[in-house]
Amino acid sequence: MRIAFIGQKGIPAVSGGVEKRVEELSSRMAEMGHEVFVYARNNYTDRNLKEYRGVKIIHLPNIPTKHLDAISHTFLATMHALFQGYDVINYQAPGPSTLSWIIKIFNRKTALVGTFNSRDCFHQKWDWLARTYLRFGEYIICTIPHKTIVVSKSLYDWARKKYGTYGAIIPNGAEIAHNPETNLLSQWGLKEKRYILYVGRLIKHKGIHYLIEAFKRLEDTNKLPNNFKLVIAGDGFHTDEYVKYLRLISEKRGNIIFTGAQSGKALSQLFSHTYLFVQPSESEGLSIALLEAMGYGIAPLVSNIKENKEAVGNAGFTFIVKDIEDLKEKLAYLLNKPAETERIGALARERVRREFSWDSAAGKTLRAYQDVINSLARK
């Protein structure tokens, strides 16, 4: 098959769940012998990089502003894709998918697929106009493509109830991993199993402020082991004011560490040697950072939204979303239960091994593509 991915920022993934999913799926498809193309934004992927893990990268410009970044690039990618003879075009996320109708009208023989990763209209970085457009994008991604892929059962249930869409559930994945090295942790003054970790973008709906406030309350009531730290690994994305706020509420707190976005060996060491991973989000699709932490055998503590509970199953702990006091109490309890957190971490690793494989996701996605191609051939 000749396959194109449109809507992501690019690969290799620096940050963002959509980019990570596209990287992992596209590279596996290329390894299986398919000809795979990923459209990349010039402000995300190195313009000199023409191929990555067997995937051909098509660089196109974009308007690098908060509201036009994605849609400007998607428009140019769509125009380019019209003339490339792709067998499959897979749009990512509701916003970019608003332009997928162009392919359906003008390339009738091309299998059109939309991947519904999360309800982006709930992301608090957007104003009311952007949220309205993203709700329109949800309608498009659920009704226009020949097939809609959803990353979680909760999204499947919502799409079926709202639009009668019977999507294919293909969850995100993660690797089973462990990095025994600890040399890169010293730059942040970290010691093995002496810190709590958050990994992800610094965006308000991710709920990092709840985690910081809960940690501060533990510190102020002497319920933290000496020099135990909270590590926030990630950067903002058009959320400068929120990032400033997070740093403001963390002022003069030497045990709260902002590392910026990390990848490669540094990120693997952060995952491998943390005591606990915390996901305090108000909304999610199916968090890849959470699955990655579980793949490292780290016990997760997550807000009790459906998407987080779907990810952890019986291999994690939950707290009431937005409830700082409940989060504080759960942290205090778990910090005194090392054997319990280790036991749950082992369950988490096994859950990822059994339920969240990138290899399995790639195979299921290719079968979904082939189903559409076969259906179009019969018409």
Side-chain angles (χ1 to χ4, degrees), residues 124-182:
Q124 295 178 28
K125 67 181 179 180
W126 300 119
D127 58 27
W128 69 268
L129 183 60
R131 291 183 189 184
T132 300
Y133 187 78
L134 289 169
R135 288 190 181 93
F136 171 65
E138 292 178 347
Y139 164 75
I140 294 294
I141 202 170
C142 289
T143 60
I144 292 298
H146 298 112
K147 185 176 285 291
T148 301
I149 292 171
V150 293
V151 302
S152 66
K153 186 178 183 301
S154 57
L155 274 178
Y156 172 87
D157 291 341
W158 180 86
R160 188 181 65 173
K161 182 177 180 180
K162 181 72 174 178
Y163 295 113
T165 303
Y166 287 80
I169 303 175
I170 305 177
N172 293 324
E175 302 285 354
I176 303 300
H178 179 72
N179 187 339
E181 297 180 355
T182 59

Side-chain angles (χ1 to χ4, degrees), residues 97-320:
S97 293
T98 54
L99 299 181
S100 62
W101 60 270
I102 297 173
I103 299 297
K104 194 168 188 180
I105 290 176
F106 294 104
N107 277 8
R108 294 179 178 273
K109 295 296 184 182
T110 301
L112 180 62
V113 178
T115 299
F116 194 175
N117 307 80
S118 69
R119 295 201 62 198
D120 295 343
C121 60
F122 287 135
H123 295 185
Q124 295 178 28
K125 67 181 179 180
W126 300 119
D127 58 27
W128 69 268
L129 183 60
R131 291 183 189 184
T132 300
Y133 187 78
L134 289 169
R135 288 190 181 93
F136 171 65
E138 292 178 347
Y139 164 75
I140 294 294
I141 202 170
C142 289
T143 60
I144 292 298
H146 298 112
K147 185 176 285 291
T148 301
I149 292 171
V150 293
V151 302
S152 66
K153 186 178 183 301
S154 57
L155 274 178
Y156 172 87
D157 291 341
W158 180 86
R160 188 181 65 173
K161 182 177 180 180
K162 181 72 174 178
Y163 295 113
T165 303
Y166 287 80
I169 303 175
I170 305 177
N172 293 324
E175 302 285 354
I176 303 300
H178 179 72
N179 187 339
E181 297 180 355
T182 59
N183 60 301
L184 298 178
L185 299 181
S186 60
Q187 64 186 298
W188 300 297
L190 302 177
K191 296 181 179 180
E192 188 173 0
K193 301 301 179 184
R194 300 287 292 179
Y195 60 94
I196 298 163
L197 179 65
Y198 166 84
V199 175
R201 288 179 179 162
L202 307 187
I203 301 175
K204 192 174 182 180
H205 74 272
K206 293 290 187 179
I208 306 109
H209 51 294
Y210 305 125
L211 176 56
I212 290 173
E213 293 295 350
F215 184 86
K216 286 164 59 178
R217 290 184 189 183
L218 286 176
E219 199 169 41
D220 291 343
T221 54
N222 296 315
K223 291 184 178 180
L224 279 175
N226 286 338
N227 296 317
F228 207 91
K229 300 184 186 301
L230 170 62
V231 176
I232 309 294
D235 282 331
F237 184 68
H238 298 304
T239 54
D240 292 350
E241 289 303 313
Y242 182 63
V243 174
K244 288 178 184 177
Y245 170 71
L246 294 180
R247 292 187 176 277
L248 179 64
I249 63 175
S250 305
E251 275 187 347
K252 299 181 181 179
R253 299 280 179 161
N255 288 329
I256 300 178
I257 310 297
F258 290 86
T259 70
Q262 298 297 320
S263 60
K265 292 181 180 179
L267 183 58
S268 73
Q269 288 188 25
L270 285 170
F271 272 129
S272 294
H273 302 293
T274 188
Y275 180 85
L276 185 72
F277 180 84
V278 182
Q279 176 78 287
S281 44
E282 297 177 22
S283 67
E284 285 289 344
L286 188 66
S287 170
I288 292 176
L290 170 57
L291 296 178
E292 287 180 331
M294 293 169 65
Y296 277 90
I298 302 303
L301 172 61
V302 301
S303 57
N304 64 344
I305 59 174
K306 290 180 181 178
E307 295 81 0
N308 285 343
K309 290 167 69 176
E310 182 177 340
V312 303
N314 67 345
F317 306 96
T318 64
F319 69 93
I320 300 169

